[in-house]
Amino acid sequence: MPNQHHESIYVHGAVVTDLIQFLDKSVPYVWLLGHMPNPATQWWDASVPVNRETPFSGKVRNLVYDLQMSTSDFIKISPSLNDYGLVLIQSNKPMPDTLELDRIPENQHASVLIKNGATLRIFLPHAIETAMVTSYRVGYLNYNGS
C-alpha cells in the first residue's frame, strides 16, 4: 500500500530471522510490542518482578510486555524468536515512556511513529505466516532488493 509517507511489502511463510534483512543496522533502536514469552495460555514457572523492588518466582500465565533494545541486540536474540510472531518498530531514537499505540487510533499510528523517529514496522502474526514490512522511508524496501 504505497503512499507518500510509507511503503509495504509482504513476506509469506516468514519467521523472525527471515525478516532481519529488512532492518537497517545503522538505525539504533528496536521496540517489540506485546511480546509473549509463552504464547500458550498455561501456567508456567518464571521469575518476574511484582514491582520495581520485589521479585517473584513461581507460576505465571499470559505474561505480555514490550521490549526496547539496540538493533544489534535484537539481531543477536532473533533466532530465539523464530517460534513467535512479533510487532517490531525500528527507530532512530528510543520510544517515549508514555507512547502506547493501542491508545491511538490505528489510522494515526504511522504519523505518530514517524514523529517519534520510526523508520520501519514489521508485523508477523505468528511464525510461518505472512509478515507485513512497512518502511516509513519511501524507496528503502526497493533499495534493499526486497
Side-chain angles (χ1 to χ4, degrees), residues 72-90:
S72 61
D73 284 346
F74 175 76
I75 291 169
K76 287 176 196 166
I77 68 162
S78 65
S80 64
L81 297 172
N82 272 344
D83 292 334
Y84 298 84
L86 61 69
V87 178
L88 177 150
I89 307 297
Q90 190 176 30

Side-chain angles (χ1 to χ4, degrees), residues 41-112:
T41 300
Q42 68 184 84
W43 293 102
W44 57 290
D45 290 315
S47 295
V48 298
V50 173
N51 58 37
R52 285 184 162 197
E53 296 84 30
T54 310
F56 168 78
S57 290
K59 302 283 186 193
V60 299
R61 73 173 185 185
N62 300 332
L63 185 61
V64 179
Y65 50 84
D66 297 342
L67 296 166
Q68 189 161 227
M69 65 188 77
S70 71
T71 296
S72 61
D73 284 346
F74 175 76
I75 291 169
K76 287 176 196 166
I77 68 162
S78 65
S80 64
L81 297 172
N82 272 344
D83 292 334
Y84 298 84
L86 61 69
V87 178
L88 177 150
I89 307 297
Q90 190 176 30
S91 65
N92 282 310
K93 55 187 179 180
M95 287 295 148
D97 291 345
T98 57
L99 179 54
E100 295 182 59
L101 288 181
D102 59 352
R103 294 176 179 250
I104 298 168
E106 191 171 344
N107 66 349
Q108 295 176 23
H109 284 191
S111 64
V112 168

Side-chain angles (χ1 to χ4, degrees), residues 121-136:
R121 180 180 185 271
I122 299 175
F123 173 65
L124 176 64
H126 53 81
I128 314 171
E129 180 59 88
T130 299
M132 185 169 116
V133 180
T134 302
S135 174
Y136 300 120

